[in-house]
Amino acid sequence: MYNADMKLSNHLPSLTAEQIHQLDRLADLFLEWNQKLNLSSIRNREGVLVKHILDSLLILPFGLIKPKDRVLDLGTGGGFPGLALAIAYPEANFTLVDATAKKISAVQDIIRQLNLKNARTLTGRAEELGRSRQLREHFDVVVARALAGFPTLLEYCMPFVKPRGKFIAYQGPELAESWMEHQKVAQELDSRIVGSKKAILPVENAYRCFIVVEKSKTISEKYPRRTGIPKKEPLA
Ligand code: SAH
C-alpha cells in the first residue's frame, strides 16, 4: 500500500525546494497525459512518484552524471528517466528519444509546460539515429530504462556514446550478479562493462541496479545493424 502523504523531499535530500516542486508538477502533467494516451500502466499519483520519479532518480547518489554532461535517454517512452533527470541536473543537457511519435509529443508538451530549458526530444529508432552524424558518438552519458534485453540494449546504446563516455542501464536486480556474461558483447562494441551499482526503491522496497558500461574507442561501422536485427538476432 502506498502512503498518500508520500513526500518526494523525504527521499531526495540533495534537491532544492524548487526542484521538488517541479518533480511534483511533472507527476501531475504525466498523469494528465496518461489519461489521454497509454503511456504507462501506473495511473495513481503515488505510483508515478515512486515507480517513475524516484526510480529515475535512484542514480543520483552515485555521481555518474556530471553537471555539464550531454545525456541521451533512449526509449524514453512517457519521459522516464529523462524528464526527472533533467530537473535534477539543470546544467546538463538532455536529449529524449523514442520511436513512437505520440509519446514524444506528450513528452515535448510536458517539457514546454515545465519550461525545461535543458531538454529536447527526437522521434526515431535507435538503429537509424545511431547512424546519424549529429548523434553518433555525441553523448557523455546514455541512459535507458526498460528498453530491451541487455545485448540488444548495448547495440542500441553504445553507438551514441562518445569514446570514454558511458552507458548506464537501469535494471532490475537480475543483472547485478550476472552482468559478466555480457562482457563479450560489450567487447564486440569496443566497450567494457565496468560494474554494477545496487539501489533500493523506497516504499516498494524493491532492488534495482545500474550497469555501467564504458566505451573505449570509436566502434565499428557495422553497428547498429539494420532496424529490427539487434532485437531479432541479439549479439552473443
Ligand atoms: N523508458 C521508459 C519507457 C520504456 S518502454 C520507462 O522506463 O518508463 C520502451 C520504449 O522504448 C517504448 O516507448 C518504445 O517506443 C521505445 N523503443 C523500443 N524500441 C526502440 C528503438 N529501437 N528505438 C527507439 N525507441 C524504441
Side-chain angles (χ1 to χ4, degrees), residues 52 73-78 80-81 97-100 103 124-127 145-147 156:
H52 285 318
D73 176 13
L74 195 59
T76 192
F80 295 105
V97 165
D98 202 278
T100 306
K103 292 187 183 180
R125 293 196 59 94
E127 300 95 315
R145 191 182 78 158
L147 169 60
Y156 283 166

Side-chain angles (χ1 to χ4, degrees), residues 39-234:
L39 294 175
S40 156
S41 60
I42 301 167
R43 295 180 183 283
N44 63 78
R45 193 161 200 284
E46 290 70 34
V48 172
L49 291 176
V50 175
K51 292 186 188 170
H52 285 318
I53 293 180
L54 287 181
D55 192 273
S56 296
L57 298 180
L58 285 176
I59 199 172
L60 298 190
F62 300 112
L64 293 165
I65 298 176
K66 301 278 179 276
K68 302 279 181 197
D69 279 349
R70 275 193 219 157
V71 184
L72 171 71
D73 176 13
L74 195 59
T76 192
F80 295 105
L83 290 173
L85 292 174
I87 292 170
Y89 291 101
E91 289 178 44
N93 270 293
F94 290 84
T95 302
L96 279 52
V97 165
D98 202 278
T100 306
K102 64 172 191 166
K103 292 187 183 180
I104 285 298
S105 66
V107 174
Q108 186 55 47
D109 179 72
I110 294 173
I111 288 173
R112 186 183 57 75
Q113 295 209 53
L114 290 174
N115 198 21
L116 283 179
K117 300 291 185 209
N118 63 334
R120 64 165 179 164
T121 57
L122 289 171
T123 302
R125 293 196 59 94
E127 300 95 315
E128 286 153 26
L129 297 179
R131 292 195 168 274
S132 95
R133 195 191 296 254
Q134 286 86 0
L135 299 173
R136 192 177 176 91
E137 309 210 314
H138 179 75
F139 295 92
D140 302 292
V141 178
V142 175
V143 294
R145 191 182 78 158
L147 169 60
F150 202 70
T152 305
L153 198 57
L154 287 174
E155 186 169 353
Y156 283 166
C157 293
M158 295 320 297
F160 294 97
V161 179
K162 275 185 191 167
R164 294 219 273 280
K166 53 187 174 281
F167 164 51
I168 305 163
Y170 281 68
Q171 296 287 330
E174 324 73 46
L175 274 187
E177 317 295 340
S178 63
W179 53 264
M180 293 76 95
E181 293 167 16
H182 300 291
Q183 199 65 279
K184 231 182 90 210
V185 173
Q187 270 167 19
E188 174 64 19
L189 298 162
D190 294 297
S191 306
R192 194 168 68 91
I193 306 174
V194 293
S196 70
K197 308 275 186 197
K198 290 185 199 172
I200 293 178
L201 183 62
V203 184
E204 293 279 302
N205 287 323
Y207 281 96
R208 297 284 187 264
C209 85
F210 296 100
I211 307 290
V212 184
V213 189
E214 281 178 9
K215 173 120 155 222
S216 23
K217 59 179 167 64
T218 296
I219 76 174
S220 161
E221 283 296 323
K222 274 193 287 188
Y223 301 114
R225 289 169 294 166
R226 277 187 292 116
T227 294
I229 305 294
K231 190 168 174 188
K232 205 167 131 212
E233 297 165 20

